[in-house]
């Protein structure tokens, strides 16, 4: 379907497609350019990002949208999505090392990475392009299990979904947020790895292990590369049968007791959700989330984690139990909500149950904005702006924030290029939006007034 990208093409710039419309100086790196290459490794061993998003595609929606009903056969639906995501991505070895999920080498189906995820302290590490997420909390992965283990992850979009990325990042340094809406049949999946050991979490025994450049600020640079174990896989599908939200979310957990010669397939479904049960009373049975009760006592069911997500809604083992998959992704917008961020700062009590449903656990339609009127974080001008919805894509939200952080630091190419208009509040109140007539010096002052570094904190 396509050949191996050259290293220079894959690692320092867009390969084709959107690159034609961009400033030639607007290079986009595959891995964090500030952290660089760990000692003992060559540039040729680095992660190769795929950002050549197609403007159009002849790819058809996956078959499971027509032949699998997630309401009557949620396990069958989840397995069909997993098969679709894995096809062509598990294959190959190089010098005896598995080369799984090198999507630029997939000959079955095109997959793509999110842009601008390389920047910032949490940005893509060198070997696999993983980004840092929230470390585990005490009792999160088991009763009495200490927290503090790192979580690193990488996400992928199919070709249908990549056409939306092509619109947003036609010019990678001046994103266009006028039409962020994913087509039906968009599939996204995400691999999440943990630094927790099988001694700490017994079900991780035999899990796929990646060496990753996660300890990048180590006093001893030779200890930068550390092992991580596959713990969780998330899936998301733009499925019109889902009702108001338009999306279906699911989660798998690695399970050592699943009989398979392929360690990537030793997975158990945690559950599936297609709505927030936004009208459920406090003790009502949920109708839009399904949780695998076989995992009680394994991924939930103790005092520190009595349920997977809030009030029984779906979340993965590495996720924040006061939210849910759908509610968290439903907050995807730019600028992000100053009021609630991507999840509440504290769990709701029974007394505030109704308010939490109304504000946070409500169904967001594709293209709808979670918190329409907000402010940029730390903006000392306190300018109110009308946010743009990002159709459940926290990857686009995070990429935009890291783009703005990079521009604020004057990292290449923003040592010479203009400030991205989406990064400054005055662009959001212009008429029409983003036709900013303020000079570059003033835009630079605005950019520096926003606390972008606070937004580099890992989510989940």
């Amino acid at each position: 379907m396509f050949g191996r990208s050259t290293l220079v093409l894959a690692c320092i710039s867009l390969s084709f497609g959107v690159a034609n419309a961009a400033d030639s100086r607007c290079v986009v790196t595959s891995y964090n350019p500030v952290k660089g290459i760990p000692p003992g490794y060559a540039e040729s061993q680095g992660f190769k990002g795929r950002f050549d998003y197609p403007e159009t595609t002849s790819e058809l929606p996956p078959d499971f949208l027509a032949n699998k009903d997630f309401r009557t056969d949620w396990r069958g639906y989840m397995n069909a999505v997993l098969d679709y995501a894995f096809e062509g991505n598990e294959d190959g070895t190089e010098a005896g090392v598995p080369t799984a999920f090198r999507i630029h080498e997939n000959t079955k189906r095109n997959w793509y990475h999110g842009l601008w995820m390389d920047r910032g302290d949490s940005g893509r590490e060198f070997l696999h392009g993983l980004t840092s997420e929230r470390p585990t909390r005490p009792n999160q992965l088991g009763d009495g299990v200490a927290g503090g283990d790192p979580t690193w992850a990488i996400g992928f979009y199919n070709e249908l979904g990549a056409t939306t990325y092509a619109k947003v990042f036609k010019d990678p340094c001046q994103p266009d947020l006028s039409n962020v809406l994913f087509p039906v049949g968009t599939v996204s999946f995400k691999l999440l790895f943990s630094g927790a050991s099988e001694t700490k979490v017994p079900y991780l025994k035999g899990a796929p292990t990646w060496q990753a450049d996660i300890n990048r600020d180590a006093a001893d640079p030779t200890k930068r590369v550390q092992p991580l174990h596959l713990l969780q896989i998330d899936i998301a599908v733009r499925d019109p049968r889902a009702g108001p939200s338009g999306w279906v979310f699911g989660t798998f957990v690695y399970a050592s007791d699943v009989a398979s010669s392929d360690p990537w397939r030793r997975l158990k479904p945690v559950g599936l959700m297609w709505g927030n049960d936004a009208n459920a009373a406090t003790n009502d049975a949920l109708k839009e989330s399904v949780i695998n009760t076989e995992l009680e006592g394994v991924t939930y069911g103790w005092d520190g984690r009595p349920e997977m997500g809030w009030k029984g809604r779906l979340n993965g083992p590495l996720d924040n139990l006061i939210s849910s998959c759908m509610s968290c992704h439903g907050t995807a917008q730019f600028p992000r909500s100053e009021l609630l961020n991507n999840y509440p700062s504290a769990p709701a009590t029974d007394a505030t149950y109704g308010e939490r449903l109304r504000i946070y656990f409500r169904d967001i339609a594709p293209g709808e904005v979670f918190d329409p009127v907000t402010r940029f974080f730390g903006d000392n001008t306190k300018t109110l702006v009308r946010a743009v919805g990002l159709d459940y894509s926290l990857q686009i939200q995070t990429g935009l924030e890291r783009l703005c952080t990079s521009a604020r630091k004057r990292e290449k190419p923003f040592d010479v290029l203009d400030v991205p208009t989406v990064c400054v509040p005055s662009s959001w109140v212009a008429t029409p939006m983003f036709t900013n007539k303020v000079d570059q010096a003033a835009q630079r002052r605005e950019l520096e007034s926003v606390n972008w570094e606070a937004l580099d904190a890992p989510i989940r």
Side-chain angles (χ1 to χ4, degrees):
M1 187 179 297
F2 49 87
R4 181 191 295 262
S5 301
T6 65
L7 179 67
V8 171
L9 209 56
C11 288
I12 67 168
S13 74
L14 299 173
S15 49
F16 55 87
V18 297
N20 296 331
D23 189 307
S24 60
R25 295 170 296 178
C26 189
V27 297
V28 180
T29 55
S30 284
Y31 51 83
N32 189 298
V34 176
K35 304 297 183 181
I37 302 173
Y41 290 85
E43 188 176 28
S44 61
Q45 295 172 277
F47 164 70
K48 301 170 180 63
R50 182 134 201 245
F51 312 119
D52 54 312
Y53 310 124
E55 294 183 3
T56 61
T57 178
S58 59
E59 182 182 41
L60 297 175
D63 290 343
F64 55 77
L65 263 67
N67 60 28
K68 292 291 181 184
D69 187 337
F70 55 80
R71 287 182 174 85
T72 59
D73 184 13
W74 65 275
R75 290 175 186 261
Y77 183 94
M78 289 187 68
N79 287 329
V81 178
L82 188 71
D83 288 343
Y84 175 90
F86 273 30
E87 186 178 19
N89 282 327
E90 296 173 273
D91 305 335
T93 59
E94 186 174 286
V97 178
T99 57
F101 300 96
R102 292 188 180 183
I103 60 170
H104 61 287
E105 297 176 349
N106 189 325
T107 60
K108 301 289 187 182
R109 182 171 292 115
N110 284 314
W111 291 95
Y112 301 85
H113 300 104
L115 207 60
W116 290 112
M117 298 292 285
D118 58 305
R119 303 303 169 101
D121 289 341
S122 301
R124 295 194 189 279
E125 54 82 36
F126 173 74
L127 286 168
H128 296 281
L130 301 169
T131 60
S132 177
E133 301 203 354
R134 183 174 60 90
T136 57
R137 295 178 178 177
N139 299 305
Q140 182 174 349
L141 296 180
D143 192 13
V145 174
D149 291 303
T151 301
W152 288 72
I154 184 168
F156 313 88
Y157 278 89
N158 69 350
E159 191 165 305
L160 282 162
T163 60
T164 297
Y165 267 84
K167 294 173 186 175
V168 174
F169 294 108
K170 185 172 185 178
D171 182 341
C173 288
Q174 292 290 347
D176 178 358
L177 303 185
S178 62
N179 187 23
V180 186
L181 199 64
F182 288 94
V184 169
T186 292
V187 176
S188 176
F189 75 100
K190 188 175 186 180
L191 309 176
L192 294 100
F193 293 81
S194 175
S197 67
E198 64 182 59
T199 302
K200 244 184 174 182
V201 184
Y203 63 73
L204 287 179
K205 183 177 181 181
T209 301
W210 278 359
Q211 298 294 322
D213 183 26
I214 63 171
N215 196 20
R216 296 179 290 198
D217 297 323
D220 180 355
T222 63
K223 298 188 183 303
R224 282 177 49 161
V225 175
Q226 299 290 329
L228 292 170
H229 311 295
L230 179 72
L231 193 148
Q232 178 176 324
I233 295 178
D234 294 340
I235 57 173
V237 182
R238 176 69 175 87
D239 189 329
R241 300 171 297 174
S245 72
W247 285 87
V248 176
F249 286 84
T251 295
F252 292 87
V253 65
Y254 178 84
S256 59
D257 60 347
V258 172
S260 176
S261 59
D262 179 359
W264 290 98
R265 294 286 181 159
R266 293 179 196 142
L267 302 168
K268 287 183 179 178
V270 177
L272 196 72
M273 75 182 303
W274 53 93
N276 276 309
D277 281 285
N279 299 311
T282 307
N283 296 314
D284 281 357
L286 299 180
K287 299 177 180 178
E288 297 171 340
S289 277
V290 180
I291 302 296
N292 184 359
T293 56
E294 297 167 11
L295 291 173
E296 185 169 4
V298 179
T299 62
Y300 74 101
W302 50 90
D303 288 345
R305 183 156 203 165
E307 53 199 2
M308 288 307 305
W310 188 67
K311 297 295 183 181
R313 290 162 177 81
L314 175 67
N315 246 351
L318 290 168
D319 299 337
N320 193 324
L321 62 83
I322 68 173
S323 65
S324 73
C325 295
M326 182 155 283
S327 62
C328 185
H329 281 264
T331 66
Q333 63 176 59
F334 196 81
R336 78 162 75 182
S337 169
E338 184 188 43
L339 175 66
L340 274 177
N341 208 316
N342 292 125
Y343 51 83
S345 59
T349 64
D350 286 346
T352 57
Y353 176 89
E355 181 185 16
R356 183 60 55 86
L357 279 181
R358 179 178 59 82
I359 294 176
Y360 185 70
F361 290 96
R362 70 184 198 274
D363 290 322
I364 303 296
E368 185 181 352
V369 188
F370 170 73
D371 186 8
V373 180
T374 187
R375 295 184 178 95
F376 280 76
F377 271 65
D379 174 22
N380 55 26
T381 70
K382 300 297 183 184
T383 303
L384 288 173
V385 301
R386 289 195 171 276
V388 171
L390 300 178
D391 198 9
Y392 287 80
S393 181
L394 292 178
Q395 288 234 22
I396 291 182
Q397 176 186 278
T398 304
L400 292 170
E401 290 170 352
R402 293 181 182 180
L403 160 70
C404 297
T405 303
S406 187
R408 184 180 188 274
K409 293 179 178 178
R410 298 181 186 264
E411 294 175 346
K412 289 183 181 296
F414 300 108
D415 55 340
V416 291
L417 293 184
D418 286 350
V419 170
T421 58
V422 298
C423 299
V424 293
S426 60
S427 299
W428 293 77
V429 296
T431 304
M433 284 176 68
F434 311 126
T435 56
N436 198 331
K437 309 236 184 267
V438 178
D439 63 57
Q440 278 295 299
Q443 289 191 44
R444 170 60 59 181
R445 287 194 295 272
E446 283 189 82
L447 181 71
E448 292 175 351
S449 78
V450 178
N451 187 9
W452 294 107
E453 280 75 7
L455 299 176
D456 191 33
I459 58 174
R460 303 183 84 83

